[in-house]
Amino acid sequence: MRYLICIAGLLLAAPLNAEVVHADAHGFEVRNAVQLVVAAPDALAAFTRVASWWSKDHTYSGDPANLSLDLRPGGCFCERFPKGGGIEHLRVAYVDPGKQIILVGALGPLLSEAVNGVMDVSVTKIAGGSRLTLIYRASGFTNGGGDKFAPKVDAMLADQLKRFRAFAADRGGR
């Protein structure tokens, strides 16, 4: 029984799949997916509460409470700075409630490069819950090449989805 509990804990802690799909000097594609024990609409609703699960280590302000995601076309995945100002991480381009969100923009250090990206977040129903798949594609000019950024972006997004999975499981999507 103890082994089953350990295995269940490991399955909840790690992404189902994290990979660099393609990378070259001009851009990259990374794909991450997690299985969740919540229904698809609840999974996407939980995903939008980024301030509750995003790592402080991947914010500019050092506090994920400063993050917000306005889930409407033209809405912003933004971070406000405590002393004023802020950053637009991504902009919402497409919303299919309970199924898919597409955001556009350059994540983190890619913002200061001549790069644009597309983040496609989709949720599908599976036995026992849902699967959330996050694909991020970025292209353009980067100092050092897109192939150098790909593994770092993939690792960062895999870490975020581990945190998201724990949040969604704990909150039941609510």
Short mmCIF file of all heavy atoms in Angstrom, two decimals, residues 61-112:
data_model
loop_
_atom_site.label_atom_id
_atom_site.label_comp_id
_atom_site.label_asym_id
_atom_site.label_seq_id
_atom_site.Cartn_x
_atom_site.Cartn_y
_atom_site.Cartn_z
N SER A 61 8.45 40.87 -10.11
CA SER A 61 8.27 41.52 -8.81
C SER A 61 8.65 40.63 -7.64
O SER A 61 8.76 41.12 -6.52
CB SER A 61 6.80 41.93 -8.65
OG SER A 61 5.96 40.78 -8.58
N GLY A 62 8.83 39.32 -7.88
CA GLY A 62 9.15 38.41 -6.80
C GLY A 62 7.93 37.94 -6.03
O GLY A 62 8.06 37.27 -5.01
N ASP A 63 6.73 38.28 -6.51
CA ASP A 63 5.50 37.92 -5.80
C ASP A 63 4.41 37.56 -6.81
O ASP A 63 3.90 38.44 -7.51
CB ASP A 63 5.05 39.08 -4.92
CG ASP A 63 3.86 38.73 -4.04
OD1 ASP A 63 3.29 37.62 -4.18
OD2 ASP A 63 3.50 39.58 -3.21
N PRO A 64 4.01 36.29 -6.87
CA PRO A 64 2.98 35.90 -7.83
C PRO A 64 1.61 36.55 -7.56
O PRO A 64 0.76 36.56 -8.45
CB PRO A 64 2.91 34.37 -7.72
CG PRO A 64 3.51 34.06 -6.41
CD PRO A 64 4.50 35.15 -6.11
N ALA A 65 1.43 37.09 -6.36
CA ALA A 65 0.17 37.80 -6.08
C ALA A 65 -0.01 39.01 -6.99
O ALA A 65 -1.12 39.52 -7.15
CB ALA A 65 0.13 38.24 -4.61
N ASN A 66 1.07 39.46 -7.61
CA ASN A 66 1.00 40.60 -8.53
C ASN A 66 0.60 40.20 -9.95
O ASN A 66 0.50 41.05 -10.83
CB ASN A 66 2.34 41.34 -8.56
CG ASN A 66 2.65 41.99 -7.23
OD1 ASN A 66 1.79 42.53 -6.58
ND2 ASN A 66 3.91 41.90 -6.83
N LEU A 67 0.38 38.89 -10.18
CA LEU A 67 -0.02 38.40 -11.49
C LEU A 67 -1.53 38.38 -11.65
O LEU A 67 -2.26 38.15 -10.69
CB LEU A 67 0.51 36.97 -11.70
CG LEU A 67 2.01 36.78 -11.72
CD1 LEU A 67 2.35 35.30 -11.72
CD2 LEU A 67 2.63 37.47 -12.93
N SER A 68 -1.97 38.57 -12.87
CA SER A 68 -3.40 38.43 -13.18
C SER A 68 -3.55 37.96 -14.63
O SER A 68 -2.66 38.18 -15.46
CB SER A 68 -4.13 39.77 -12.99
OG SER A 68 -3.61 40.73 -13.89
N LEU A 69 -4.66 37.29 -14.90
CA LEU A 69 -4.97 36.84 -16.25
C LEU A 69 -6.42 37.20 -16.52
O LEU A 69 -7.33 36.64 -15.92
CB LEU A 69 -4.74 35.33 -16.40
CG LEU A 69 -5.12 34.71 -17.74
CD1 LEU A 69 -4.44 35.40 -18.91
CD2 LEU A 69 -4.80 33.23 -17.74
N ASP A 70 -6.62 38.15 -17.40
CA ASP A 70 -7.95 38.62 -17.80
C ASP A 70 -8.38 37.77 -18.99
O ASP A 70 -7.94 37.99 -20.11
CB ASP A 70 -7.88 40.11 -18.17
CG ASP A 70 -9.21 40.69 -18.56
OD1 ASP A 70 -10.25 39.99 -18.44
OD2 ASP A 70 -9.23 41.85 -18.99
N LEU A 71 -9.23 36.79 -18.73
CA LEU A 71 -9.58 35.79 -19.73
C LEU A 71 -10.68 36.27 -20.67
O LEU A 71 -11.83 35.87 -20.58
CB LEU A 71 -10.01 34.49 -19.04
CG LEU A 71 -10.09 33.27 -19.94
CD1 LEU A 71 -8.74 32.98 -20.58
CD2 LEU A 71 -10.57 32.08 -19.16
N ARG A 72 -10.28 37.13 -21.60
CA ARG A 72 -11.14 37.61 -22.68
C ARG A 72 -10.22 38.01 -23.82
O ARG A 72 -9.06 38.37 -23.59
CB ARG A 72 -12.00 38.78 -22.24
CG ARG A 72 -11.20 39.99 -21.84
CD ARG A 72 -12.03 41.19 -21.45
NE ARG A 72 -11.17 42.25 -20.99
CZ ARG A 72 -10.47 43.08 -21.77
NH1 ARG A 72 -10.56 42.99 -23.08
NH2 ARG A 72 -9.69 44.00 -21.27
N PRO A 73 -10.70 37.93 -25.07
CA PRO A 73 -9.84 38.39 -26.17
C PRO A 73 -9.35 39.82 -25.91
O PRO A 73 -10.14 40.70 -25.56
CB PRO A 73 -10.77 38.32 -27.39
CG PRO A 73 -11.74 37.24 -27.03
CD PRO A 73 -11.97 37.41 -25.54
N GLY A 74 -8.06 40.01 -26.02
CA GLY A 74 -7.45 41.30 -25.70
C GLY A 74 -7.05 41.42 -24.25
O GLY A 74 -6.37 42.38 -23.86
N GLY A 75 -7.45 40.45 -23.42
CA GLY A 75 -7.10 40.47 -22.01
C GLY A 75 -5.61 40.25 -21.81
O GLY A 75 -4.90 39.79 -22.70
N CYS A 76 -5.15 40.54 -20.63
CA CYS A 76 -3.72 40.54 -20.36
C CYS A 76 -3.35 39.52 -19.29
O CYS A 76 -4.01 39.42 -18.26
CB CYS A 76 -3.32 41.93 -19.88
SG CYS A 76 -1.54 42.16 -19.63
N PHE A 77 -2.27 38.77 -19.54
CA PHE A 77 -1.57 38.04 -18.49
C PHE A 77 -0.48 39.02 -18.07
O PHE A 77 0.54 39.16 -18.75
CB PHE A 77 -1.00 36.74 -19.02
CG PHE A 77 -0.08 36.02 -18.06
CD1 PHE A 77 -0.16 36.20 -16.68
CD2 PHE A 77 0.86 35.13 -18.53
CE1 PHE A 77 0.69 35.53 -15.81
CE2 PHE A 77 1.73 34.44 -17.67
CZ PHE A 77 1.64 34.65 -16.31
N CYS A 78 -0.74 39.75 -17.01
CA CYS A 78 0.09 40.88 -16.62
C CYS A 78 0.60 40.73 -15.20
O CYS A 78 0.07 39.96 -14.39
CB CYS A 78 -0.71 42.18 -16.71
SG CYS A 78 -1.04 42.70 -18.40
N GLU A 79 1.61 41.53 -14.91
CA GLU A 79 2.17 41.62 -13.58
C GLU A 79 2.35 43.09 -13.23
O GLU A 79 2.95 43.84 -13.98
CB GLU A 79 3.53 40.91 -13.56
CG GLU A 79 4.21 40.91 -12.22
CD GLU A 79 5.51 40.12 -12.23
OE1 GLU A 79 5.83 39.49 -13.27
OE2 GLU A 79 6.21 40.15 -11.21
N ARG A 80 1.78 43.48 -12.12
CA ARG A 80 1.95 44.86 -11.67
C ARG A 80 3.13 44.92 -10.71
O ARG A 80 3.43 43.95 -10.01
CB ARG A 80 0.67 45.39 -11.03
CG ARG A 80 0.32 44.76 -9.73
CD ARG A 80 -1.02 45.27 -9.16
NE ARG A 80 -1.28 44.69 -7.88
CZ ARG A 80 -1.65 43.44 -7.66
NH1 ARG A 80 -1.78 42.60 -8.66
NH2 ARG A 80 -1.86 43.00 -6.44
N PHE A 81 3.82 46.04 -10.73
CA PHE A 81 4.94 46.24 -9.82
C PHE A 81 4.45 47.03 -8.61
O PHE A 81 3.68 47.99 -8.77
CB PHE A 81 6.08 46.98 -10.50
CG PHE A 81 6.68 46.24 -11.68
CD1 PHE A 81 7.27 46.94 -12.71
CD2 PHE A 81 6.65 44.86 -11.76
CE1 PHE A 81 7.82 46.28 -13.80
CE2 PHE A 81 7.20 44.18 -12.84
CZ PHE A 81 7.79 44.90 -13.86
N PRO A 82 4.86 46.66 -7.41
CA PRO A 82 4.36 47.32 -6.20
C PRO A 82 4.55 48.83 -6.17
O PRO A 82 3.72 49.55 -5.62
CB PRO A 82 5.17 46.66 -5.07
CG PRO A 82 5.56 45.33 -5.62
CD PRO A 82 5.76 45.55 -7.10
N LYS A 83 5.61 49.35 -6.81
CA LYS A 83 5.87 50.79 -6.78
C LYS A 83 5.38 51.47 -8.06
O LYS A 83 5.79 52.58 -8.37
CB LYS A 83 7.34 51.06 -6.56
CG LYS A 83 7.81 50.59 -5.20
CD LYS A 83 9.27 50.88 -4.96
CE LYS A 83 9.66 50.40 -3.58
NZ LYS A 83 11.06 50.62 -3.30
N GLY A 84 4.52 50.78 -8.82
CA GLY A 84 4.01 51.33 -10.07
C GLY A 84 4.61 50.63 -11.27
O GLY A 84 5.67 50.01 -11.19
N GLY A 85 3.92 50.72 -12.38
CA GLY A 85 4.39 50.08 -13.60
C GLY A 85 4.02 48.61 -13.61
O GLY A 85 3.23 48.13 -12.81
N GLY A 86 4.60 47.90 -14.54
CA GLY A 86 4.32 46.47 -14.65
C GLY A 86 4.78 45.93 -15.97
O GLY A 86 5.51 46.59 -16.72
N ILE A 87 4.35 44.72 -16.27
CA ILE A 87 4.76 44.04 -17.50
C ILE A 87 3.60 43.23 -18.05
O ILE A 87 2.85 42.61 -17.29
CB ILE A 87 5.99 43.14 -17.26
CG1 ILE A 87 6.43 42.47 -18.56
CG2 ILE A 87 5.73 42.12 -16.17
CD1 ILE A 87 7.76 41.74 -18.46
N GLU A 88 3.46 43.24 -19.35
CA GLU A 88 2.54 42.35 -20.03
C GLU A 88 3.33 41.11 -20.44
O GLU A 88 4.20 41.20 -21.30
CB GLU A 88 1.94 43.03 -21.27
CG GLU A 88 1.02 42.11 -22.05
CD GLU A 88 0.47 42.76 -23.30
OE1 GLU A 88 -0.37 43.67 -23.17
OE2 GLU A 88 0.92 42.37 -24.40
N HIS A 89 3.02 39.99 -19.82
CA HIS A 89 3.71 38.75 -20.17
C HIS A 89 3.16 38.21 -21.49
O HIS A 89 3.92 37.86 -22.38
CB HIS A 89 3.56 37.72 -19.07
CG HIS A 89 4.28 38.09 -17.82
ND1 HIS A 89 5.65 38.05 -17.69
CD2 HIS A 89 3.81 38.53 -16.62
CE1 HIS A 89 6.00 38.44 -16.48
NE2 HIS A 89 4.90 38.74 -15.80
N LEU A 90 1.84 38.11 -21.59
CA LEU A 90 1.18 37.60 -22.78
C LEU A 90 -0.17 38.30 -22.93
O LEU A 90 -0.71 38.82 -21.96
CB LEU A 90 0.95 36.09 -22.68
CG LEU A 90 2.18 35.20 -22.54
CD1 LEU A 90 1.77 33.79 -22.13
CD2 LEU A 90 2.97 35.15 -23.83
N ARG A 91 -0.71 38.29 -24.14
CA ARG A 91 -2.03 38.86 -24.41
C ARG A 91 -2.93 37.73 -24.89
O ARG A 91 -2.54 36.90 -25.69
CB ARG A 91 -1.93 39.94 -25.48
CG ARG A 91 -3.28 40.46 -25.88
CD ARG A 91 -3.48 41.94 -25.89
NE ARG A 91 -2.73 42.77 -25.01
CZ ARG A 91 -3.26 43.39 -23.93
NH1 ARG A 91 -4.50 43.23 -23.61
NH2 ARG A 91 -2.52 44.19 -23.21
N VAL A 92 -4.18 37.73 -24.37
CA VAL A 92 -5.15 36.71 -24.74
C VAL A 92 -5.67 36.99 -26.16
O VAL A 92 -6.15 38.08 -26.44
CB VAL A 92 -6.34 36.68 -23.75
CG1 VAL A 92 -7.38 35.65 -24.17
CG2 VAL A 92 -5.84 36.41 -22.33
N ALA A 93 -5.54 35.99 -27.03
CA ALA A 93 -5.98 36.14 -28.42
C ALA A 93 -7.24 35.32 -28.71
O ALA A 93 -8.01 35.68 -29.60
CB ALA A 93 -4.87 35.73 -29.38
N TYR A 94 -7.46 34.23 -27.97
CA TYR A 94 -8.55 33.31 -28.27
C TYR A 94 -9.00 32.63 -26.98
O TYR A 94 -8.16 32.21 -26.17
CB TYR A 94 -8.05 32.26 -29.26
CG TYR A 94 -9.04 31.17 -29.61
CD1 TYR A 94 -9.95 31.33 -30.65
CD2 TYR A 94 -9.05 29.96 -28.91
CE1 TYR A 94 -10.84 30.32 -30.99
CE2 TYR A 94 -9.94 28.95 -29.25
CZ TYR A 94 -10.83 29.14 -30.29
OH TYR A 94 -11.71 28.13 -30.61
N VAL A 95 -10.32 32.53 -26.80
CA VAL A 95 -10.87 31.84 -25.64
C VAL A 95 -12.04 30.98 -26.09
O VAL A 95 -12.99 31.48 -26.68
CB VAL A 95 -11.37 32.83 -24.56
CG1 VAL A 95 -11.99 32.08 -23.39
CG2 VAL A 95 -10.26 33.75 -24.09
N ASP A 96 -11.96 29.69 -25.83
CA ASP A 96 -13.07 28.76 -25.99
C ASP A 96 -13.31 28.20 -24.60
O ASP A 96 -12.59 27.30 -24.16
CB ASP A 96 -12.72 27.66 -26.99
CG ASP A 96 -13.91 26.76 -27.32
OD1 ASP A 96 -14.97 26.90 -26.68
OD2 ASP A 96 -13.76 25.91 -28.21
N PRO A 97 -14.26 28.77 -23.84
CA PRO A 97 -14.43 28.45 -22.42
C PRO A 97 -14.43 26.94 -22.14
O PRO A 97 -15.12 26.17 -22.80
CB PRO A 97 -15.78 29.07 -22.07
CG PRO A 97 -15.91 30.20 -23.03
CD PRO A 97 -15.30 29.69 -24.31
N GLY A 98 -13.61 26.57 -21.17
CA GLY A 98 -13.52 25.19 -20.74
C GLY A 98 -12.71 24.30 -21.66
O GLY A 98 -12.52 23.12 -21.37
N LYS A 99 -12.23 24.84 -22.80
CA LYS A 99 -11.52 24.01 -23.77
C LYS A 99 -10.14 24.51 -24.14
O LYS A 99 -9.18 23.76 -24.16
CB LYS A 99 -12.35 23.88 -25.05
CG LYS A 99 -13.66 23.15 -24.85
CD LYS A 99 -14.42 23.08 -26.13
CE LYS A 99 -15.77 22.42 -25.90
NZ LYS A 99 -16.59 22.44 -27.10
N GLN A 100 -10.02 25.81 -24.48
CA GLN A 100 -8.76 26.29 -25.04
C GLN A 100 -8.58 27.79 -24.83
O GLN A 100 -9.54 28.56 -24.90
CB GLN A 100 -8.71 25.99 -26.53
CG GLN A 100 -7.41 26.33 -27.20
CD GLN A 100 -7.43 25.97 -28.69
OE1 GLN A 100 -8.48 25.87 -29.31
NE2 GLN A 100 -6.25 25.78 -29.26
N ILE A 101 -7.33 28.17 -24.59
CA ILE A 101 -6.92 29.57 -24.52
C ILE A 101 -5.67 29.69 -25.39
O ILE A 101 -4.77 28.85 -25.30
CB ILE A 101 -6.54 30.00 -23.08
CG1 ILE A 101 -7.65 29.72 -22.08
CG2 ILE A 101 -6.15 31.47 -23.05
CD1 ILE A 101 -7.19 29.84 -20.64
N ILE A 102 -5.60 30.74 -26.20
CA ILE A 102 -4.38 31.03 -26.94
C ILE A 102 -3.93 32.43 -26.55
O ILE A 102 -4.72 33.38 -26.60
CB ILE A 102 -4.60 30.92 -28.46
CG1 ILE A 102 -4.98 29.49 -28.84
CG2 ILE A 102 -3.32 31.36 -29.21
CD1 ILE A 102 -5.32 29.29 -30.30
N LEU A 103 -2.67 32.52 -26.14
CA LEU A 103 -2.07 33.78 -25.74
C LEU A 103 -0.89 34.07 -26.67
O LEU A 103 -0.27 33.13 -27.17
CB LEU A 103 -1.59 33.72 -24.30
CG LEU A 103 -2.66 33.31 -23.27
CD1 LEU A 103 -2.37 31.93 -22.75
CD2 LEU A 103 -2.71 34.30 -22.15
N VAL A 104 -0.60 35.33 -26.87
CA VAL A 104 0.53 35.70 -27.72
C VAL A 104 1.46 36.64 -26.96
O VAL A 104 1.03 37.42 -26.13
CB VAL A 104 0.07 36.37 -29.04
CG1 VAL A 104 -0.71 35.38 -29.90
CG2 VAL A 104 -0.77 37.60 -28.78
N GLY A 105 2.76 36.50 -27.26
CA GLY A 105 3.74 37.38 -26.66
C GLY A 105 5.03 36.64 -26.33
O GLY A 105 5.15 35.44 -26.54
N ALA A 106 5.98 37.38 -25.82
CA ALA A 106 7.30 36.85 -25.50
C ALA A 106 7.43 36.70 -23.99
O ALA A 106 7.28 37.67 -23.25
CB ALA A 106 8.38 37.79 -26.03
N LEU A 107 7.68 35.50 -23.53
CA LEU A 107 7.82 35.22 -22.11
C LEU A 107 9.18 35.65 -21.57
O LEU A 107 10.19 35.49 -22.24
CB LEU A 107 7.67 33.72 -21.85
CG LEU A 107 6.27 33.14 -21.97
CD1 LEU A 107 6.34 31.61 -21.89
CD2 LEU A 107 5.36 33.69 -20.89
N GLY A 108 9.18 36.15 -20.35
CA GLY A 108 10.40 36.43 -19.60
C GLY A 108 11.46 37.17 -20.37
O GLY A 108 11.20 38.23 -20.96
N PRO A 109 12.67 36.62 -20.42
CA PRO A 109 13.78 37.31 -21.08
C PRO A 109 13.60 37.44 -22.60
O PRO A 109 14.29 38.23 -23.23
CB PRO A 109 15.00 36.45 -20.75
CG PRO A 109 14.47 35.13 -20.39
CD PRO A 109 13.10 35.35 -19.81
N LEU A 110 12.66 36.71 -23.17
CA LEU A 110 12.41 36.84 -24.60
C LEU A 110 11.79 38.19 -24.94
O LEU A 110 11.83 38.64 -26.08
CB LEU A 110 11.48 35.72 -25.10
CG LEU A 110 12.06 34.31 -25.03
CD1 LEU A 110 11.00 33.29 -25.40
CD2 LEU A 110 13.27 34.18 -25.92
N LEU A 111 11.22 38.86 -23.93
CA LEU A 111 10.58 40.16 -24.14
C LEU A 111 11.55 41.19 -24.71
O LEU A 111 11.18 41.99 -25.56
CB LEU A 111 10.00 40.68 -22.82
CG LEU A 111 9.29 42.02 -22.90
CD1 LEU A 111 8.05 41.91 -23.78
CD2 LEU A 111 8.91 42.49 -21.52
N SER A 112 12.81 41.13 -24.29
CA SER A 112 13.77 42.12 -24.78
C SER A 112 14.47 41.67 -26.06
O SER A 112 15.35 42.37 -26.56
CB SER A 112 14.80 42.43 -23.69
OG SER A 112 15.51 41.27 -23.35
#
